[in-house]
Amino acid sequence: MSAAPVTRSQPFPAYSRAEHIADAVLHVLGVVAALVAVPVLVTLAAVWHGSLPAVLAASVYGASLIAMFAFSAAYHLVRHPGAKEILRRLDHAAIYVKIAGTYTPFAVLLGRDEAATILAGIWTAALVGLAIKVTAPRRLEALCLVLYLGMGWAALVVGGPIIEGLSEAGLILMVTGGALYTLGVVFHLWHGLPFQNAIWHALVLAASFVFYAAILVEVRASALS
């Protein structure tokens, strides 16, 4: 069974019980994993690197990771229509914050003016996307999707200084994570496919922790350099 299409009378996708259960399991796993993984990352940043900027950058990334998983879980698990509509806005807005939050440790650890400029641009784009999702929900959906993907792959287009500063392992992990996110978008848009929402969220979960691994690698590499 595939999800029922979104209409004015049915503003949220309707999934089967099995699809709801699969999606709920993935969301609980994501929230729990983030709550465990983030303190580990911040602690290791403090122990390995020891600098306040590195710890703050890891904290910003960690907060954005937890926020994305938490808002997504709340939106997909809550059934009340009024609350669900508000949570939908926050869920979609949190993705922009998560993308910008992921860039933050890479740019801060590099410590170059060019990386700071790129980071400022990414956060500006994130705030624009956030504003659209919060104030004009269900509008400009195509533009918002392009903005998601554009921000995600911006490092390969304009982020030369960040890419050049990565270790080989960090670069491989970053590209792998980006590929998983992009593959996930295919399933996100494939509404006729059974379990498409669960597959999308499974790929988001996998991609998020590939990026988490990349940040761990770069924190360690920066501390040893």
Side-chain angles (χ1 to χ4, degrees):
M1 177 181 176
S2 59
V6 174
T7 63
R8 286 189 177 182
S9 60
Q10 174 60 46
F12 306 107
Y15 299 107
S16 69
R17 178 178 174 80
E19 288 174 308
H20 271 299
I21 292 172
D23 205 36
V25 169
L26 287 167
H27 276 97
V28 170
L29 178 61
V31 171
V32 171
L35 289 172
V36 172
V38 167
V40 171
L41 174 63
V42 174
T43 300
L44 290 176
V47 172
W48 287 346
H49 206 280
S51 72
L52 181 60
V55 174
L56 289 176
S59 300
V60 168
Y61 161 72
S64 71
L65 181 67
I66 292 172
M68 184 187 74
F69 282 134
F71 283 128
S72 182
Y75 165 54
H76 287 91
L77 298 180
V78 168
R79 298 299 181 90
H80 186 277
K84 196 172 185 69
E85 182 60 37
I86 294 172
L87 290 168
R88 180 182 184 273
R89 300 185 191 193
L90 296 175
D91 171 34
H92 292 185
I95 298 173
Y96 290 112
V97 176
K98 162 60 168 52
I99 295 172
T102 302
Y103 272 97
T104 300
F106 295 114
V108 170
L109 290 171
L110 185 58
R112 289 168 52 180
D113 291 342
E114 303 97 311
T117 300
I118 294 167
L119 186 61
I122 291 293
W123 273 105
T124 299
L127 292 175
V128 170
L130 183 152
I132 293 173
K133 284 299 184 181
V134 170
T135 63
R138 302 184 186 279
R139 299 180 184 177
L140 305 174
E141 294 287 350
L143 174 62
C144 288
L145 180 59
V146 170
L147 186 57
Y148 285 136
L149 292 173
M151 286 175 61
W153 288 105
L156 293 183
V157 180
V158 299
I162 294 177
I163 295 297
E164 291 168 7
L166 292 175
S167 64
E168 182 178 355
L171 178 59
I172 291 171
L173 287 167
M174 177 182 278
V175 173
T176 301
L180 287 171
Y181 274 128
T182 303
L183 177 61
V185 171
V186 175
F187 290 97
H188 175 60
L189 298 174
W190 194 348
H191 299 294
L193 178 71
F195 291 92
Q196 57 86 209
N197 203 44
I199 296 170
W200 152 240
H201 288 130
L203 287 167
V204 168
L205 183 62
S208 294
F209 284 97
V210 168
F211 271 103
Y212 176 89
I215 292 170
L216 268 181
V217 166
E218 293 308 311
V219 169
R220 184 60 173 165
S222 176
L224 294 174
S225 62

